[in-house]
Amino acid sequence: MRAEAQAQPNIALIKYWGKRDRDRNLPASGSLSVTLDSLWTRMAVDFGSGCAKDCLLVNGEVNPAMLARVSACLDRLCGVKRPAARIDSTGNFPIGAGLASSASAFAALVTAAARAANITLDRLTLARQAGATSGSAARSLYPGIVELCAGDDEIQVASIAAASEWPLRIVVAITEESSKPLASGDAMIRSAATSPFYASWIDRQNADLQLARAAVQQRDFAALAAVAEHNCLKMHSVMWTSRPAIVYWNNATIACMESIRVLQRAGHAVFFTIDAGPQLKAICLREAEASVISALSATSGVRRVMTSGLGEGARLLDAA
């Protein structure tokens, strides 16, 4: 009746921005991401706690704001007649701040809940269950470099490179610890409805995915850097041209971009990407990591940096 699982956030290099089917939370286009290793969320699900209704604790504090999404995810997975659950969530990085905390949370949640409810599901089915609540959560079920295909009726997800096959490093510049002012799902809806660039963004996604997939297969860092940065900036152009404009960046975000540009001009193998939040993620080869850490740590407005390699997909920690 109780199980605990861990999942890591994933960082999209070819972005997911927009929904094809809101009711089923299906993405409007495919995406390509890297699953991290040193950042994590752990979810413990207990159907035998004796709770009269679902209860969610996040880092030891009751969290009613996220409970509705968690309960809905459990209903889809286990059925509406399931026992009430106590859910304990812990993590080692900021929540709701553009670091894919919902991706790792729901990937861990479905993994733990299936075991606690004694339901046997394969990884793809669990990924689809997680993705029905948080679109990017489906990718956190998988290790290394992961591609999600939008498909016709269901998403398809698979690893296209193991963590050991291309040991990239990720340096995250934390420029803001608090939650972002507008949730990603709401922002996507606004962009689709109001940005004049949204249709072009969707039309060009497959071409970017093909370039990124080929770069991964050929271990071509320069090619991956070029398409990933361009894709990131296109996504934020869609956000900026929405009405009202969606601007997640702060002054430190822009300063970090310039720090990466300085490193690139000096010949370091590094590129940046930014999701729906103010944090910049620098992806680099191992030999560039120390220089990237030093440069971002010294950038004005950066509160701290976090580092990670590529990691494994969601997994059980224990079950009882």
Side-chain angles (χ1 to χ4, degrees), residues 9-320:
N10 66 81
I11 304 301
L13 305 185
I14 303 301
K15 305 295 189 183
Y16 148 57
W17 192 253
K19 301 179 190 296
R20 184 176 77 257
D21 185 326
R22 282 194 222 170
D23 292 338
R24 295 192 294 161
N25 206 40
L26 294 175
S29 64
S31 55
L32 186 143
S33 62
V34 291
T35 300
L36 307 186
D37 64 356
S38 61
L39 281 64
W40 50 260
T41 301
R42 293 171 183 160
M43 300 286 277
V45 177
D46 187 356
F47 288 119
S49 65
C51 294
K53 58 183 179 180
D54 291 343
C55 175
L56 172 65
L57 283 80
V58 177
N59 293 325
E61 297 184 2
V62 175
N63 188 314
M66 190 178 174
L67 180 59
R69 293 179 74 197
V70 168
S71 294
C73 183
L74 293 177
D75 287 345
R76 278 191 297 269
L77 180 69
C78 305
V80 296
K81 295 183 179 181
R82 63 176 175 80
R86 175 188 168 107
I87 308 102
D88 287 276
S89 174
T90 56
N92 69 344
F93 64 100
I95 295 172
L99 287 169
S101 57
S102 64
S104 55
F106 286 101
L109 178 68
V110 298
T111 303
R115 173 58 67 89
N118 198 27
I119 299 171
T120 301
L121 299 172
D122 61 27
R123 184 180 292 184
L124 178 57
T125 303
L126 285 174
R128 288 170 174 168
Q129 290 285 338
T133 303
S134 170
S136 57
R139 300 188 304 244
S140 280
L141 269 291
Y142 290 81
I145 303 177
V146 180
E147 182 174 355
L148 185 150
C149 299
D152 294 325
D153 297 314
E154 298 278 5
I155 59 170
Q156 299 292 332
V157 197
S159 295
I160 62 172
S164 59
E165 292 176 334
W166 199 6
L168 300 174
R169 300 295 299 172
I170 297 91
V171 182
V172 181
I174 305 295
T175 67
E176 178 58 62
E177 300 274 2
S178 61
S179 298
K180 57 194 179 187
L182 181 65
S184 297
D186 294 335
M188 289 181 195
I189 293 169
R190 184 188 299 179
S191 289
T194 65
S195 173
F197 297 160
Y198 183 78
S200 176
W201 156 257
I202 296 299
D203 288 344
R204 295 170 183 267
Q205 279 295 90
N206 282 338
D208 284 0
L209 270 170
Q210 290 176 14
L211 288 172
R213 188 187 311 116
V216 170
Q217 292 168 345
Q218 297 163 18
R219 304 295 183 268
D220 187 337
F221 186 86
L224 183 62
V227 69
E229 283 194 1
H230 186 56
N231 190 264
C232 166
L233 294 174
K234 283 194 296 184
M235 182 183 75
H236 284 276
S237 295
V238 171
M239 294 183 198
W240 283 38
T241 53
S242 300
R243 292 189 175 184
I246 304 162
V247 182
Y248 287 114
W249 299 356
N250 54 32
N251 289 341
T253 310
I254 298 171
C256 286
M257 293 169 64
E258 180 55 28
S259 293
I260 298 301
R261 291 286 185 245
V262 171
L263 290 169
Q264 290 171 335
R265 289 194 290 269
H268 295 285
V270 59
F271 65 90
F272 68 80
T273 191
I274 307 161
D275 292 307
Q279 330 297 0
L280 179 138
K281 297 92 174 179
I283 292 83
C284 63
L285 297 181
R286 186 174 294 277
E287 56 266 28
E289 182 179 19
S291 296
V292 174
I293 293 172
S294 177
L296 290 178
S297 297
T299 300
S300 176
V302 172
R303 302 187 177 203
R304 59 188 172 113
V305 299
M306 305 180 75
T307 62
S308 179
L310 303 191
E312 299 303 311
R315 59 199 181 279
L316 288 164
L317 296 179
D318 60 45

